[in-house]
Amino acid sequence: MTVSLVAKAGVLLMFFGSTLYVHLRGKARLPMLRQFVNHSALFAPYNALMYLFSGVPSKPYLDRSRFPELDVLKDNWEVIREEAMHLFDEGYIRAAEKDNDAGFGSFFKKGWKRFYLKWYDKALPSAQALCPKTVELVNSIPNVKGAMFALLPGGSHLNPHRDPFGGSLRYHLGLSTPNSDNCRIYVDGQAYAWRDGEDVMFDETYVHWVKNETETTRVILFCDVERPLNSPLMTRINRKVSAFLGRATAPQNTDDERVGGINRAYAWSKRFSNVISGQVKQFKRANPKAYRVLRPVLAVVVAYLLYHWLF
């Protein structure tokens, strides 16, 4: 066995082991096959390190009192709500109009909408202009790396998923909510119902899903908060990785704002897949028997090419 083959086998084993660990973490799980092809699997080795060195317990919901710096957001929730509702009334909280939001692209189909305030390096110019008080509050907390207003209409839901990056934790502050147990998030199967002026911290790399079974739109402040780590070295590494990913996934609220490379690539892939999907559907309708034969053949070809790439 050559050194190259041993190295490839080691990488494959590390990927498989860490993905399996992420899959088995918690009680709620994605289907096994979906987990291994899901984008969250790409970060499984990195996330395993984040869990190993985490300065907070490994559980779905975290004690918000361990993050006293976030008190300033809760204490000023009415100020934040006023700016959020102005944006809502003016139609600024919306889906990505150019399909260039890789992180949340699948949510838009459910009516979920957002307006970015800050994304890892600095506040977005449109946010500074339209909601300066909220931006000032968010910028006063160094470990808040990303922030947005997030909207979910009544009668909608988000399917079970896990976020890919374990270097951060998720913070929600209720702004304008149904104030009902019928509008809730489930993190690893444990329910939390949003209330105006109340907040919650959770680990978004656990499987979670959302149901708004009311007729009222839910608007919250949604933040990514740096995960506390026990190792100064891992903290520095995590900040470097977070900064890189932040630049690569830079979003926009308005057309004149910069878009990161990953989001540009995602927009291109969406356009390409729409073209290919249309052609495949036409071929399927015109040649149903050939389609049934060629589909498994294509899967075998892809598996063959993948095997030879790895080994």
Side-chain angles (χ1 to χ4, degrees), residues 64-108:
R64 225 287 279 146
S65 66
R66 297 186 64 146
F67 300 84
E69 65 275 16
L70 299 176
D71 289 350
V72 68
L73 298 178
K74 185 175 182 180
D75 291 345
N76 288 277
W77 76 272
E78 290 174 304
V79 172
I80 297 171
R81 180 176 67 176
E82 182 178 357
E83 291 193 327
M85 298 315 294
H86 173 71
L87 292 178
F88 173 61
D89 292 339
E90 295 295 321
Y92 283 103
I93 305 178
R94 56 197 178 202
E97 296 179 340
K98 297 183 178 180
D99 285 327
N100 56 4
D101 194 334
F104 304 99
S106 64
F107 290 3
F108 298 132

Side-chain angles (χ1 to χ4, degrees), residues 86-161:
H86 173 71
L87 292 178
F88 173 61
D89 292 339
E90 295 295 321
Y92 283 103
I93 305 178
R94 56 197 178 202
E97 296 179 340
K98 297 183 178 180
D99 285 327
N100 56 4
D101 194 334
F104 304 99
S106 64
F107 290 3
F108 298 132
K109 298 176 183 177
K110 306 296 183 181
W112 187 89
K113 298 178 174 65
R114 83 294 181 267
F115 180 89
Y116 286 97
L117 301 165
K118 173 184 180 180
W119 197 246
Y120 284 81
D121 54 351
K122 58 185 178 181
L124 276 72
S126 56
Q128 290 177 314
L130 295 168
C131 42
K133 295 177 183 177
T134 302
V135 167
E136 183 179 3
L137 289 167
V138 168
N139 281 341
S140 71
I141 312 170
N143 61 335
V144 172
K145 301 303 182 182
M148 68 178 78
F149 294 129
L151 176 159
L152 186 70
S156 188
H157 69 280
L158 301 178
N159 291 326
H161 62 282

Side-chain angles (χ1 to χ4, degrees), residues 155-194:
S156 188
H157 69 280
L158 301 178
N159 291 326
H161 62 282
R162 65 167 87 246
D163 287 25
F165 184 59
S168 62
L169 302 168
R170 184 64 44 79
Y171 172 79
H172 284 182
L173 172 63
L175 300 177
S176 177
T177 75
N179 292 302
S180 166
D181 289 342
N182 289 326
C183 181
R184 58 211 180 279
I185 184 171
Y186 294 86
V187 184
D188 199 33
Q190 302 177 34
Y192 171 84
W194 293 280

Side-chain angles (χ1 to χ4, degrees), residues 43 100-101 116 118-122 124 145-146 165 168 224 238-252 258-264:
F43 286 92
N100 56 4
D101 194 334
Y116 286 97
K118 173 184 180 180
W119 197 246
Y120 284 81
D121 54 351
K122 58 185 178 181
L124 276 72
K145 301 303 182 182
F165 184 59
S168 62
D224 280 351
N238 189 41
R239 288 175 179 171
K240 292 286 187 182
V241 172
S242 297
F244 170 78
L245 292 175
R247 290 190 295 272
T249 58
Q252 64 176 190
R258 174 184 172 272
V259 179
I262 289 177
N263 283 341
R264 292 198 301 271

